[in-house]
Amino acid sequence: MHDRKTAEEKMIVEATNYFAKEGLADDVLTQRRKATEIRRRLGLDPGRILVRTEGDGPDIRWECSFASREAYDADRAARTASPDFEAARKQMHTLLERFERHVYEVEE
């Protein structure tokens, strides 16, 4: 019989949604690219950037998968400890009408 994974063992997906202020979607994309480059310099998975082409929803979305809750928590700690990433995050929020962060467990 297959054992079910505990919450700590399940893959985690973080998704962030960026709703740009009027006329600033390109600036939001540029800023997300900067944050992604900072992630690379920190040795973190860059994740992937999605740009809305149809329908309602965020202008830009970023997603990244983590092998476990522990890996996700370590990633969050590395971002928080980085002055460069924190500065990029603060700059991003000046460009946004709304920001959302969603964290999911992958159910297999």
Side-chain angles (χ1 to χ4, degrees):
M1 180 167 226
H2 185 263
D3 292 328
R4 298 187 89 181
K5 289 185 176 184
T6 66
E8 293 79 28
E9 297 171 317
K10 289 184 177 183
M11 179 177 282
I12 301 293
V13 176
E14 178 183 357
T16 55
N17 295 324
Y18 302 97
F19 297 83
K21 290 180 180 176
E22 185 69 34
L24 296 182
D26 288 343
D27 295 331
V28 170
L29 178 57
T30 297
Q31 189 62 23
R32 181 62 250 183
R33 286 177 174 151
K34 287 178 184 177
T36 296
E37 184 52 39
I38 293 167
R39 289 183 59 79
R40 282 189 178 95
R41 287 197 312 262
L42 293 172
L44 303 174
D45 185 329
R48 66 181 186 172
I49 299 169
L50 306 169
V51 178
R52 180 174 50 88
T53 60
E54 294 180 20
D56 296 328
D59 299 285
I60 308 295
R61 180 179 174 100
W62 175 82
E63 296 179 349
C64 193
S65 297
F66 305 90
S68 65
R69 171 56 72 168
E70 181 180 51
Y72 174 67
D73 290 344
D75 186 281
R76 290 287 309 262
R79 287 184 259 174
T80 300
S82 167
D84 289 342
F85 193 89
E86 283 298 299
R89 183 187 62 75
K90 287 179 182 173
Q91 176 61 31
M92 175 64 88
H93 284 276
T94 69
L95 306 171
L96 301 176
E97 286 292 334
R98 189 166 103 219
F99 170 81
E100 299 173 344
R101 173 180 287 115
H102 304 280
V103 179
Y104 304 92
E105 288 181 348
V106 176
E107 191 62 39
E108 298 178 26

